[in-house]
């Protein structure tokens, strides 16, 4: 009987052991030295635009497959709801106001290639650290962190001054002004005011001149001459910048050289993809960092003919599906070179989708799923909760979903540690190394509090109460939606951070995101017994956080934001700046 029992146990255990042997073992991190790192960042992509995050109409098979083979984060949070500050935080692992990359005014992003603001040279990006560790580092696509400080060629804010060995792409960001057939987007309302003012001044000058000629108005020719001169100077002062936005901002660069001015948008997608794959092929024999910063899915939604009209969501859906195809092409290049198991791939968006972006009945912005709010809104989840996917076969467990608060700032310490380096000790780093969480060696994120800034104004704070599983979020300032209940600031196009367009809350609005991720039902002292305790705890965290802040130069000040001719990148002799050097290639 005992022998039969032993045989029976053996028959059960043997298949189990055999099955475990067939499972690919997770490699010990200590045995891996300096993996390749590929960072893929979409522009203005909503979390609800991706299949693996719940969208069942826009087709994103390559991004979905990336999540299936890796780890999907469901509470991945941008440090800001707009491009420039969010990307500054991503590159430095620090809240953007620590580097002066958040605004105290309405200039909340870099406005001109010819402006003087940008990511300060004394900031240490993860690219700079990896470069010191022997990595070849490349940035393909969008930068939007400034170019020059004091002269046209100082390149103090340029990617090559921030740790990238190679740069090809837009130093600015894609805007509708880059597409001649589209309605101008940049500072549209302000431009209308300038045109109106010019017409009024011109009309006054013309009326005075006619009155003088007909004898109806007694005015000297000297006064008329001064008035005409002022009219001309006023017109030239603003039209020299806003009248040539396409030439000043819509340019392509390779390293320090301007290659297209203005850019030829019909081939931009193919060139960015070609450059990305070429970078992988050139550097396959040594550790590399590739930051592919997509121009998709920012307006004007540059989409090649192959994808036009193919989605169920108009031009925006076409554009997202093309970006997914580009992701697939990059992943195929990694596989082709035999680098899949030695490459950490990361996919995310810089912030939430732009709800208010439309032309007539055409919706040109993204969808943020069940989350309230969108781009430019720092407090509501729709503006800051983004896709976050990691893949590293053999190291990260495939098909894993992690519902813990994480941040785009966490990429900084994560890749720094993987490269075998140490974090800078002379500054506060707000990000946390994600590898223990991604590998499943710890249960909870290291973040207890995350602070959500709109410019330099603190709009909301979240507290991850790990012992209870609650994720409390207190809103101190919220934008006023127009029309009321519309979910966005459709009257402005962007929700503001301060002024008449916001509401201050005392006591703050409180939500428990673990029970109410859509932030639909604010809690109160009457409905939540822990209300006062939670508000006091968050208040103390804010006080401690503010003690870590130090004054820094404001990179997005009005002076730094305005266009300066002497800083404008130019491929000819200024102001004759036009070229197409890609024709030669």
């Amino acid at each position: 009987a005992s022998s039969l029992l032993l045989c029976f146990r053996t028959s059960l255990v043997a298949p189990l052991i055999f099955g475990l042997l067939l499972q690919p073992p997770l490699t010990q991190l200590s045995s891996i030295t300096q993996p390749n790192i590929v960072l893929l960042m979409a522009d203005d992509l909503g979390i609800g635009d991706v299949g693996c995050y719940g969208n069942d109409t826009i087709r994103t098979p390559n991004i979905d497959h990336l999540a299936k083979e890796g780890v999907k984060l469901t509470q991945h949070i941008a440090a800001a709801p707009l491009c420039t500050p969010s990307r500054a935080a991503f590159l430095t692992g620090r809240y953007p106001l620590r580097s002066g990359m958040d605004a105290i005014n309405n200039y909340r992003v870099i406005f001109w290639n010819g402006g003087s603001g940008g990511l300060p040279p004394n900031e240490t990006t993860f690219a700079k650290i990896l470069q010191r560790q022997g990595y070849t580092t490349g940035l393909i696509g969008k930068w939007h962190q400034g170019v020059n400080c004091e002269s046209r060629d100082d390149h103090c804010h340029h990617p090559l001054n921030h740790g990238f060995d190679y740069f090809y792409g837009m130093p600015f960001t894609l805007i509708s002004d880059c597409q001649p057939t589209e309605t101008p987007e940049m500072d549209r309302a302000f431009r209308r005011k300038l045109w109106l003012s010019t017409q009024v001044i011109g009309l006054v000058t013309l009326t005075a001149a006619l009155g003088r000629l007909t004898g109806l108005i007694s005015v000297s020719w000297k006064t008329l001459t001064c008035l005409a001169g002022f009219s001309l100077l006023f017109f030239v002062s603003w039209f020299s910048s806003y009248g040539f936005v396409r030439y000043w901002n819509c340019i392509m660069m390779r390293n320090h050289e301007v290659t297209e001015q203005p850019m030829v948008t019909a081939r931009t997608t193919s060139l960015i993809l070609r450059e990305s794959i070429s970078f992988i092929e050139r550097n396959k024999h040594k550790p590399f960092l590739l930051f592919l910063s997509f121009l998709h899915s920012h307006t004007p939604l540059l989409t090649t003919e192959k994808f036009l009209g193919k989605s169920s969501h108009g031009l925006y859906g076409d554009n997202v599906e093309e970006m997914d195809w580009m992701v697939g092409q990059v992943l195929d290049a990694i596989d082709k070179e035999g680098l899949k198991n030695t490459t950490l791939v990361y996919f995310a968006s810089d912030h939430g989708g732009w709800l208010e972006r439309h032309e007539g009945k055409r919706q040109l912005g993204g969808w943020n799923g069940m989350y309230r709010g969108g781009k430019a809104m720092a407090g509501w989840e729709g503006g800051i909760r983004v896709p976050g996917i990691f893949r590293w076969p053999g190291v990260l467990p495939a098909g894993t979903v992690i519902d813990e608060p994480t941040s785009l700032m966490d990429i900084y310490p994560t890749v720094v540690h993987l490269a075998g380096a140490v974090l800078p000790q002379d500054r506060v780093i707000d990000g946390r190394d994600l590898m223990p969480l991604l590998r499943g060696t710890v249960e909870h994120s290291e973040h207890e509090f995350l602070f959500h800034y709109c410019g330099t104004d603190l709009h909301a704070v979240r507290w991850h109460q790990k012992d209870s599983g609650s994720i409390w979020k207190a809103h101190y300032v919220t934008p006023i939606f127009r029309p009321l209940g519309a979910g966005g600031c459709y009257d402005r196009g962007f929700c503001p951070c301060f002024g008449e367009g916001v509401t201050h809350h005392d006591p703050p609005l409180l939500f428990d995101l673990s029970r109410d991720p859509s932030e639909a039902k604010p809690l109160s002292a009457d409905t939540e017994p822990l209300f006062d305790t939670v508000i006091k705890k968050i208040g103390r965290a804010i006080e401690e956080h503010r003690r870590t802040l130090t004054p820094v130069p404001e990179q997005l000040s009005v002076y730094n934001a305005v266009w300066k001719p002497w800083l404008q990148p130019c491929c000819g002799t200024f102001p004759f700046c036009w070229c197409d050097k890609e024709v030669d290639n």
Side-chain angles (χ1 to χ4, degrees), residues 159-305:
L160 267 59
N161 199 41
H162 279 294
F164 291 100
D165 296 306
Y166 183 76
F167 169 61
Y168 177 80
M170 286 191 77
F172 192 61
T173 182
L174 199 59
I175 50 176
S176 291
D177 303 69
C178 298
Q179 192 85 310
T181 57
E182 293 290 324
T183 305
E185 173 185 336
M186 186 172 157
D187 246 356
R188 190 183 300 182
F190 185 52
R191 262 196 268 195
R192 288 198 195 103
K193 292 177 182 178
L194 290 171
W195 266 117
L196 180 61
S197 300
T198 302
Q199 291 169 344
V200 169
I201 294 171
L203 184 61
V204 169
T205 303
L206 182 61
T207 302
L210 290 174
R212 175 68 172 81
L213 290 171
T214 57
L216 295 175
I217 301 176
S218 177
V219 58
S220 68
W221 286 113
K222 184 179 180 180
T223 302
L224 281 175
T225 302
C226 291
L227 193 56
F230 173 76
S231 301
L232 181 62
L233 283 174
F234 178 77
F235 174 72
V236 170
S237 68
W238 71 264
F239 193 78
S240 60
S241 56
Y242 284 105
F244 298 90
V245 169
R246 185 163 163 258
Y247 284 85
W248 303 151
N249 280 347
C250 303
I251 67 175
M252 299 291 284
M253 296 183 77
R254 178 175 285 105
N255 296 327
H256 290 147
E257 180 185 26
V258 177
T259 58
E260 297 178 42
Q261 192 167 12
M263 63 194 290
V264 182
T265 55
R267 64 181 179 220
T268 303
T269 296
S270 61
L271 288 177
I272 285 177
L273 182 58
R274 184 190 74 182
E275 290 281 347
S276 300
I277 294 174
S278 175
F279 183 85
I280 293 170
E281 293 172 346
R282 292 196 310 270
N283 297 288
K284 60 186 176 182
H285 296 303
K286 52 189 174 182
F288 66 81
L289 162 72
L290 170 61
F291 178 17
L292 172 49
S293 179
F294 291 104
L295 302 184
H296 297 61
S297 50
H298 200 293
T299 49
L301 301 173
L302 299 183
T303 309
T304 57
E305 190 173 345

Side-chain angles (χ1 to χ4, degrees), residues 455-535:
T456 56
D457 295 282
L458 184 64
H459 274 208
V461 181
R462 79 177 63 209
W463 173 33
H464 183 202
Q465 191 180 6
K466 300 175 187 180
D467 56 350
S468 71
S470 293
I471 299 174
W472 306 101
K473 189 168 169 199
H475 288 259
Y476 295 89
V477 184
T478 57
I480 300 172
F481 293 154
R482 297 276 192 239
L484 292 175
C489 302
Y490 291 90
D491 58 330
R492 297 169 178 259
F494 270 115
C495 283
C497 295
F498 56 86
E500 296 178 354
V502 302
T503 299
H504 293 262
H505 302 282
D506 186 14
L509 299 179
L510 183 67
F511 301 90
D512 181 358
L513 299 181
S514 65
R515 292 177 285 168
D516 181 19
S518 300
E519 299 173 288
K521 299 176 181 178
L523 303 170
S524 67
D526 296 328
T527 60
E528 175 52 62
L530 295 175
F531 183 89
D532 291 331
T533 302
V534 171
I535 295 303

Side-chain angles (χ1 to χ4, degrees), residues 355-366:
L355 302 179
E356 298 95 342
R357 187 67 177 97
H358 60 88
E359 293 291 348
K361 294 183 178 181
R362 287 198 309 161
Q363 177 60 33
L364 302 177

